[in-house]
Amino acid sequence: MASGVAMSAELEQLDGEIQDIFRALQNGFQKLDKIKDANRQSKHLEELTGQMRECKRLIKEFDRVFKEEESRNPPDVNKQLNERKQSMIKELNSYVALRKTYQSSLGNKRVELFDMGAGGSDAVPDDNVRLASEMSNQELIDAGRKKMDETDQAIERSKMVVEQTIDVGAQTAANLKGQTEQMGRIVNELDTIQFSIKKASQLVKEIGRQIVHPNNKNIRDIPGLAPPAPTTRRLLSAEAFQGF
C-alpha cells in the first residue's frame, strides 16, 4: 500500500495502474521537450493523449468501485479514498493543461476536455503550466481559482452587453411609438384638409350656379350667402315723357 491509504485489492490495483500512467506521462512530456521535429512532436503528443484517455477511464472505474464499497468502509477510510481520487483528478488535469500548451506551440488548436465529474471537471488552462510532479496542490488550486475569476469577469461583461442591448431596444421601441403617433396625426390632418378642399370646391360650384341662374329655385341656398336681390328695370317709353 504505497499510497498509505487503506484500499481493497481492486482499488489498489486500479491505483497502481493509474500511478504507472502518471509516471509514463511525466517521462513522455520530458521526452517531448527533446524532440525538435514538429511532426514527431505531434505524433508523440497523440500517444500521450491516448495515455491520458486511459487514465481518465481508470479514474472513473476507481470512483465506481469506491462508491460500491463506500457503505462498508469507516468514515475516515472513505475520506482518504475520496481525497486520493481528487488528487488523481488534479494530477491528470495538470497533464491535460500541459498538453494544451504543447498543442498551441505546434499550431494545433484542437483541445479535448477531460470531464472528470464533480470536483475535477475543469483542466487548468495556464500557459505556463509545469509538469504535475513540479506543482503543489496549492498551485493547482490557485490556477483553478484564477481561471474561475476570469470566467466570472467574462460573464459579467456579457451581462452588461445584454443589459445595454435591452436599453437600446426599449429606446428604439419608444422612438418608433412616437413616430407612429406623429404619422397618425399627420394622416388625420391630411384627411381634414382633403375634406375642406372638397367642401370648398362644392361651395364654389354652388356660388357659380347661383350667379349664373339667380332665379332658379332648384338651386339650394348656400348658408351665409344670400341670393342676389332682384332688380326691376323700367323701360323708357313715350308714356314716360307725357307731361313734358
Side-chain angles (χ1 to χ4, degrees), residues 145-162:
R145 287 175 177 172
K146 179 182 177 182
K147 181 60 178 178
M148 286 189 291
D149 290 341
E150 293 174 354
T151 302
D152 290 340
Q153 293 173 4
I155 291 174
E156 289 300 322
R157 289 193 296 269
S158 299
K159 288 171 62 178
M160 291 178 60
V161 171
V162 171

Side-chain angles (χ1 to χ4, degrees), residues 14-225:
L14 289 169
D15 182 79
E17 292 178 10
I18 292 169
Q19 297 308 315
D20 288 342
I21 292 179
F22 282 152
R23 284 190 289 271
L25 288 172
Q26 180 177 356
N27 294 331
F29 277 106
Q30 289 174 348
K31 180 180 177 181
L32 189 62
D33 290 331
K34 300 176 182 179
I35 300 176
K36 303 302 180 182
D37 182 72
N39 292 330
R40 290 181 56 199
Q41 277 188 337
S42 180
K43 183 177 179 181
H44 187 69
L45 194 60
E46 287 301 320
E47 293 175 357
L48 295 175
T49 300
Q51 292 177 339
M52 283 185 277
R53 289 197 184 100
E54 177 62 15
C55 188
K56 172 187 174 181
R57 186 190 68 80
L58 291 173
I59 292 175
K60 285 187 174 182
E61 181 66 14
F62 184 96
D63 183 57
R64 184 189 66 78
V65 176
F66 163 57
K67 289 179 179 178
E68 288 181 354
E69 299 177 354
E70 189 173 11
S71 61
R72 302 191 297 270
N73 294 332
D76 58 334
V77 173
N78 287 331
K79 180 182 178 186
Q80 291 176 348
L81 289 174
N82 185 62
E83 289 175 350
R84 183 65 172 170
K85 181 191 71 173
Q86 296 301 327
S87 175
M88 290 187 293
I89 290 172
K90 290 178 181 178
E91 186 82 359
L92 178 58
N93 278 338
S94 68
Y95 284 116
V96 172
L98 186 61
R99 172 179 174 267
K100 176 185 175 182
T101 301
Y102 278 100
Q103 279 190 320
S104 297
S105 65
L106 290 172
N108 188 350
K109 304 301 181 182
R110 294 175 300 174
V111 180
E112 296 176 14
L113 301 179
F114 288 78
D115 183 5
M116 301 306 302
S121 60
D122 293 329
V124 183
D126 189 352
D127 291 339
N128 297 317
V129 172
R130 303 191 304 275
L131 288 173
S133 58
E134 300 175 357
M135 297 180 68
S136 67
N137 288 341
Q138 186 60 45
E139 287 175 322
L140 289 169
I141 292 172
D142 291 342
R145 287 175 177 172
K146 179 182 177 182
K147 181 60 178 178
M148 286 189 291
D149 290 341
E150 293 174 354
T151 302
D152 290 340
Q153 293 173 4
I155 291 174
E156 289 300 322
R157 289 193 296 269
S158 299
K159 288 171 62 178
M160 291 178 60
V161 171
V162 171
E163 290 174 357
Q164 292 173 357
T165 303
I166 292 174
D167 292 341
V168 171
Q171 184 61 43
T172 302
N175 292 340
L176 288 174
K177 181 180 179 182
Q179 292 175 359
T180 301
E181 292 175 350
Q182 184 179 9
M183 289 297 295
R185 290 193 297 270
I186 292 174
V187 170
N188 290 337
E189 291 175 0
L190 289 175
D191 289 342
T192 301
I193 292 172
Q194 184 178 9
F195 179 78
S196 299
I197 292 174
K198 184 177 180 181
K199 295 297 292 183
S201 177
Q202 293 177 349
L203 185 60
V204 169
K205 289 180 180 179
E206 293 294 336
I207 292 174
R209 293 175 63 188
Q210 287 194 0
I211 292 174
V212 175
H213 306 287
N215 297 320
N216 190 342
K217 301 301 182 180
N218 294 325
I219 300 175
R220 61 184 180 87
D221 293 336
I222 300 174
L225 182 65

